[in-house]
Amino acid sequence: MSAFVPTRTDEPSREKLLHEPHSPPPTRRPRHRIAGADVSASIAVFLIALPLSLGIALATGAPLQAGLVAAAVGGIVVGYLGGTPLQVSGPAAGLTIVTAELIQRYGWRTTCAITVLAGLAQLGLGFVRVARSALAVSPAIVHGMLAGIGVTIAVAQLHIVLGGIPHSSVLDNMRELPAQLAGVHAAALSVSALTLVLLLAWPRIPGRMGGLLRKVPAPLVAVAGASTAASFAGLSLPKVDLPSWSSHALAALPEGPVLGLVAAVLTITLVCSVQSLLGAVAVDKLVATRPELSARVGRSDLDRELLGQGAANVVSGVLGGLPIAGVAVRSSANVQAGAVSRNSTMLHGVLVVVAALLMVPILELIPLASLAALVMAVGIQMVSLHHIRTVTRHREVLVYAITTLGVVFFGVLEGVALGIAMAVAVALHRLTRTRITHDEQEGVHHVHVRGQLTFLAVPRLSRALHLVPQGAQAVVELDGSFMDHAAYESLQDWQNTHTAHGGSVELIGRRSGVRIGEPTGPVGLHLDGRGAAESADCRCHPWTAWRNHQCEIPESVTSRDGEPGQAQVIATDDSEEAGAPGNTGAPGHTGAPGHAGAPGHASATDGTGEPHTVGGLGKRDGTESTTGSARPDESGVNGSDRADSLGAGSEVRGMAGGTDGSRPSGRQLARGISAFQRNTAPLVRGELARLAREGQQPSQLFLTCADSRLVTSMITSSGPGDLFVVRNVGNLVPLPGQESGDDSVAAAIEYAVDVLEVRSVTVCGHSGCGAMQTLLNSEPDGPQGPQTPLRRWLRHGLPSLERMSDEDRPWARLAGRAPADAVEQLCLTNVVQQLEHLRAHESVARALREGALELHGMYFHVGEAQAYLLTEEGAEGTDDVFDHVGVADLSA
């Protein structure tokens, strides 16, 4: 059975009813039940956590039991109390250097006390609900901090890999590295090398057998394999030593200088909190890739997560465990292993407790060199090339580098402080950096201001403006988002002086309608007369949230724009204007769907002043027409009139602005074009120039309805040159060779497939389609009455109507619910039917046979702003068998 699957998951805040409104609520499942998926996921996470916890404890110099305590407490306490159900917490590599330094300076028992105090600090932060504020830290600082910690870990563990003992600082470790290389311990190096080989090679085993083997975590395989090899070879190596739990050291009262202890607590609190909160956000992204899971788990509660982390650190510190934070590797493994609730995290903690009590003899077979190699690999992976590329692309590589070097050479807290200082300096530099240029082209003087225009740039602005001779034509382009009062006055004074001496000034900028004390022009300067009035007419800006672009137009302006009866409106089908879909364009507002003044919604007023629709494809009241048992508020924004409203396609003449003065005036189109030239053209001119030189090379043919509410570039996140778009009433694809066939659609398909060589063709339907409404309300033999062009065109939709009426064929449906009414059912069926029509075209059939083309079906629900892709549920007896692979692949 064909089905449409949503391309994104709904927000968790949009709760769904699980039972009828007036029926008794479903019986609550017993709390003690644990899903099988949680059990298997907890085992996978446990197998990863066990060796990593021991390795991190080894790297910090803490008792090895401390790593197991932290892993158990992190799983059980954070799993139960935390706000991110699928995040796994425990001893984290990001805390290794901080903890190691504290142990060397204050001793282990004081370090445990510092962990308790850090946990209390986290509890305080969670209670005052400042978790979101932690995300304000620049990602470049966070990634730089983790990279610095990773470098420090890798350099320290390299000494153990080579058979030596690490030193307390990175400089000492690097200074002693040549001597360590000269005296390599062969046994330790061989075990470490085997660990690294297994760690890197295990995930890359090919074939079906490799897929089965990869279910066992690589860290466990690497440590187990190296331990087994060392035992069989009889190598004499230092191994894990787990003393009796009766002698395990617990927390004691902190001893040391107060300022030092406060700094230590702040450092642990900062690193644990930031790493855990960023990990929670990352887990949300992973959960979003599993639609069936996102509704059940929901978004993270970051304040609750901070409370859970704080409670866990208090418990871990009291019990003599390492500091705890969210761990990305284990959390990712938890989600990918199929966990569905916080039970998997808690059960993994229970398994760690069991292992710590019952598996001591097995754990004591692990060579320390193997654990060191494992932790060294983790440290190297913390220096992420992806993060480096990202910060470079955002021009924050300097912040990243300063933070990394600061952490390596001075410590975590000092490195983060240096990173924050550098980030502030970079932000101030960008704020105050303004580039002002002057050039002359064909007698016109251009002054281009790029950046924020503040008082600091006024001297340079004044010098550039005075390069323009008196009486000359000048163009001042302001490419920025802020202008302070000093810059405004300087520019205004120059403009007044220049125009007083016979010169002309054209001001171009990104913003429109800026006010600095009084009505101003597009860039904050005075407008006179009509320009000022037009600027005050509309306050819409490009791609902001709109309400059908309803801008109030003063009566004085509409009276100037035209008299009643002056403008003529010719009714057409729903359409999308080039460059501004569904919107004739108020200043600065590009692409507002369903604008009342769009050609696709032409309407006129009768003698009573009531608007009426033309052509039967659009309603003036802003509702969708439905049939049967449809709920009036179920569907989109605009809809369709009854079939009997189809006229003969005659002209409708009336007042362009409407009798009430609220309709767009005759100058809306010109104002919209002017806004494009002022706001958008400077941004896209370079890309359009490239496309003009190289020609169009779209990857997709997108065939959809002419409805003005369908903004193809918006719902597909595409831009110039991406889509080859064909629009018509009802997104119909006439069969080739028909007596009443349509060559325009066939020609577009042939051109796109044979000439442009597009790789995919998408047929997109939508809710509340007027063409489908008309087909449903027509006579059995098709649309009757005068054979207007519209009626003749809609005959190409009759096969869709017949397909829906055929009881032997399964109906297309939306995933998770049945179609709302007969109109929606026909809209879905029509997409499937038009895909069959596409296959009948020779160029499409040939490309499909050659494997050079894919066909996609898409449905857009206007009222929900929700897109669906056609897929296949595998029901027997269906003609359309499609597999859902994230992006629907409907190739024949």
Side-chain angles (χ1 to χ4, degrees):
M1 181 184 295
S2 301
F4 289 81
V5 176
T7 57
R8 66 167 179 80
T9 58
D10 292 336
E11 295 83 353
S13 59
R14 297 176 60 181
E15 299 180 358
K16 299 182 179 179
L17 287 175
L18 300 179
H19 56 90
E20 294 298 323
H22 302 291
S23 64
T27 303
R28 182 175 298 178
R29 293 195 305 175
R31 297 192 176 201
H32 62 272
R33 291 188 57 183
I34 299 178
D38 284 333
V39 175
S40 59
S42 66
I43 295 174
V45 176
F46 160 72
L47 295 177
I48 295 174
L50 190 63
L52 283 176
S53 299
L54 292 172
I56 292 172
L58 172 67
T60 60
L64 296 183
Q65 295 102 319
L68 300 178
V69 170
V73 172
I76 297 173
V77 176
V78 181
Y80 183 74
L81 299 177
T84 308
L86 300 187
Q87 176 162 252
V88 182
S89 299
L95 294 163
T96 302
I97 302 305
V98 179
T99 309
E101 183 180 353
L102 294 180
I103 293 173
Q104 291 179 358
R105 181 177 299 179
Y106 300 110
W108 170 241
R109 301 188 69 182
T110 297
T111 300
C112 292
I114 291 174
T115 303
V116 173
L117 294 175
L120 293 174
Q122 286 181 299
L123 288 173
L125 293 175
F127 281 122
V128 298
R129 308 183 68 83
V130 297
R132 287 281 172 189
S133 302
L135 300 181
V137 180
S138 169
I141 297 174
V142 177
H143 297 324
M145 178 190 71
L146 296 178
I149 293 172
V151 170
T152 307
I153 292 173
V155 173
Q157 297 308 299
L158 181 58
H159 282 269
I160 301 179
V161 167
L162 297 175
I165 300 176
H167 297 274
S168 59
S169 70
V170 177
L171 293 178
D172 291 338
N173 284 324
M174 297 188 70
R175 190 181 301 113
E176 296 295 330
L177 191 57
Q180 187 66 61
L181 291 172
V184 172
H185 192 286
L189 182 60
S190 60
V191 169
S192 300
L194 179 59
T195 302
L196 293 174
V197 169
L198 289 174
L199 186 65
L200 297 176
W202 191 259
R204 294 172 174 80
I205 299 177
R208 181 175 299 176
M209 182 59 67
L212 296 175
L213 293 176
R214 286 195 297 270
K215 293 183 180 298
V216 182
L220 178 68
V221 172
V223 173
S227 302
T228 303
S231 298
F232 278 117
L235 299 178
S236 177
L237 289 170
K239 297 181 179 179
V240 170
D241 181 18
L242 293 174
S244 172
W245 284 102
S246 60
S247 61
H248 179 61
L250 303 179
L253 292 176
E255 297 178 359
V258 175
L259 291 179
L261 293 174
V262 171
V265 171
L266 291 178
T267 303
I268 294 290
T269 303
L270 171 68
V271 178
C272 288
S273 301
V274 172
Q275 184 168 344
S276 299
L277 295 176
L278 292 177
V281 174
V283 169
D284 281 345
K285 295 179 181 179
L286 290 175
V287 170
T289 62
R290 295 174 54 189
E292 76 284 357
L293 181 62
S294 60
R296 178 172 181 175
V297 175
R299 289 180 180 269
S300 296
D301 183 340
L302 296 184
D303 292 305
R304 179 178 173 181
E305 179 66 19
L306 198 55
L307 291 172
Q309 296 289 339
N313 273 314
V314 171
V315 175
S316 180
V318 169
L319 297 179
L322 291 170
I324 290 173
V327 185
V329 175
R330 297 172 218 177
S331 302
S332 175
N334 193 35
V335 176
Q336 294 172 359
V340 295
S341 72
R342 63 179 70 244
N343 290 332
S344 64
T345 304
M346 298 169 62
L347 187 56
H348 125 271
V350 173
L351 292 175
V352 172
V353 173
V354 173
L357 297 176
L358 303 180
M359 295 177 59
V360 173
I362 298 176
L363 297 178
E364 289 183 338
L365 296 176
I366 301 175
L368 296 183
S370 179
L371 293 178
L374 177 64
V375 176
M376 184 181 73
V378 173
I380 293 174
Q381 291 172 354
M382 291 173 70
V383 186
S384 171
L385 293 178
H386 170 71
H387 291 159
I388 294 175
R389 285 192 293 266
T390 301
V391 298
T392 302
R393 185 167 62 250
H394 292 282
R395 297 183 299 168
E396 293 184 330
V397 68
L398 186 60
V399 177
Y400 179 91
I402 292 296
T403 306
T404 301
L405 294 176
V407 170
V408 169
F409 293 108
F410 302 108
V412 174
L413 196 60
E414 294 83 353
V416 170
L418 287 174
I420 293 175
M422 179 54 63
V424 172
V426 169
L428 291 175
H429 174 69
R430 290 175 179 174
L431 180 63
T432 58
R433 180 186 179 188
T434 306
R435 182 181 178 186
I436 303 176
T437 60
H438 167 268
D439 64 334
E440 181 183 357
Q441 299 176 3
E442 300 178 356
V444 178
H445 291 260
H446 295 264
V447 177
H448 187 187
V449 181
R450 180 171 300 171
Q452 317 311 319
L453 198 52
T454 65
F455 66 95
L456 297 175
V458 167
R460 285 179 290 145
L461 175 65
S462 179
R463 285 194 296 269
L465 293 176
H466 281 82
L467 293 177
V468 180
Q470 291 186 358
Q473 182 179 356
V475 176
V476 179
E477 182 175 354
L478 303 180
D479 188 3
S481 59
F482 176 76
M483 180 197 307
D484 69 3
H485 192 71
Y488 163 70
E489 284 193 346
S490 176
L491 192 54
Q492 183 191 43
D493 292 343
W494 173 83
Q495 180 194 26
N496 293 337
T497 302
H498 189 74
T499 54
H501 288 82
S504 65
V505 178
E506 180 182 359
L507 299 167
I508 303 175
R510 288 185 180 182
R511 303 181 62 190
S512 62
V514 179
R515 288 178 175 268
I516 304 180
E518 52 186 313
T520 59
V523 292
L525 301 180
H526 285 287
L527 292 174
D528 297 326
R530 188 186 193 93
E534 291 180 2
S535 177
D537 295 343
C538 182
R539 288 294 178 266
C540 296
H541 298 287
W543 293 107
T544 54
W546 58 80
R547 294 182 181 273
N548 205 23
H549 202 76
Q550 299 297 328
C551 299
E552 296 182 1
I553 300 178
E555 183 177 357
S556 59
V557 176
T558 57
S559 63
R560 289 197 305 267
D561 288 339
E563 297 299 326
Q566 179 179 351
Q568 298 179 354
V569 181
I570 300 178
T572 64
D573 57 76
D574 287 354
S575 62
E576 172 185 349
E577 297 92 319
N583 171 29
T584 52
H589 192 110
T590 58
H595 174 29
H601 294 275
S603 61
T605 54
D606 53 24
T608 63
E610 294 295 328
H612 60 272
T613 60
V614 181
L617 293 177
K619 293 188 72 175
R620 188 73 181 95
D621 59 0
T623 60
E624 285 191 352
S625 296
T626 56
T627 61
S629 60
R631 293 180 293 273
D633 60 346
E634 178 87 8
S635 301
V637 183
N638 285 342
S640 312
D641 261 341
R642 301 178 57 86
D644 55 9
S645 68
L646 282 170
S650 58
E651 291 185 353
V652 178
R653 306 173 186 273
M655 176 180 173
T659 57
D660 58 357
S662 63
R663 293 285 307 282
S665 69
R667 292 185 55 83
Q668 281 282 57
L669 178 62
R671 297 214 309 249
I673 296 174
S674 175
F676 166 80
Q677 295 297 145
R678 179 176 65 250
N679 301 322
T680 310
L683 304 179
V684 300
R685 186 171 288 120
E687 176 65 11
L688 291 180
R690 183 188 67 80
L691 291 173
R693 293 191 304 269
E694 301 176 0
Q696 62 170 329
Q697 296 177 343
S699 60
Q700 301 181 50
L701 166 60
F702 198 86
L703 197 152
T704 188
C705 185
D707 193 294
S708 64
R709 298 163 295 173
L710 262 67
V711 187
T712 57
S713 59
M714 181 176 68
I715 64 178
T716 60
S717 297
S718 56
D722 292 338
L723 301 180
F724 188 74
V725 182
V726 175
R727 307 189 69 151
N728 59 54
V729 177
N731 49 276
L732 301 177
V733 181
L735 286 168
Q738 281 193 346
E739 181 177 348
S740 58
D742 181 86
D743 286 339
S744 65
V745 177
I749 294 172
E750 179 181 350
Y751 184 79
V753 175
D754 291 344
V755 179
L756 298 178
E757 298 180 345
V758 297
R759 296 187 295 274
S760 69
V761 181
T762 300
V763 176
C764 178
H766 67 97
S767 62
C769 180
M772 300 300 104
Q773 174 76 51
T774 302
L775 282 173
L776 275 179
N777 292 337
S778 63
E779 297 296 329
D781 294 334
Q784 302 298 311
Q787 288 303 301
T788 64
L790 177 59
R791 295 185 184 278
R792 288 195 298 271
W793 169 255
L794 289 181
R795 289 184 178 274
H796 299 301
L798 292 178
S800 300
L801 192 61
E802 296 170 358
R803 184 187 188 99
M804 189 180 76
S805 303
D806 189 350
E807 297 181 356
D808 296 332
R809 287 188 172 185
W811 279 6
R813 64 179 180 84
L814 292 173
R817 69 171 176 88
D821 52 28
V823 176
E824 187 168 61
Q825 180 64 70
L826 184 56
C827 292
L828 299 174
T829 305
N830 183 55
V831 173
V832 179
Q833 184 64 36
Q834 301 313 313
L835 287 172
E836 288 194 3
H837 290 185
L838 265 176
R839 293 187 180 90
H841 286 259
E842 180 181 355
S843 57
V844 174
R846 181 175 60 254
L848 289 174
R849 287 193 302 269
E850 297 172 354
L853 187 66
E854 296 178 349
L855 300 185
H856 300 271
M858 179 176 169
Y859 175 75
F860 185 75
H861 195 291
V862 177
E864 297 176 356
Q866 174 66 63
Y868 297 83
L869 290 176
L870 187 61
T871 186
E872 171 54 35
E873 300 244 325
E876 296 182 1
T878 182
D879 296 332
D880 306 302
V881 181
F882 305 124
D883 291 328
H884 181 240
V885 289
V887 178
D889 181 0
L890 307 182
S891 54

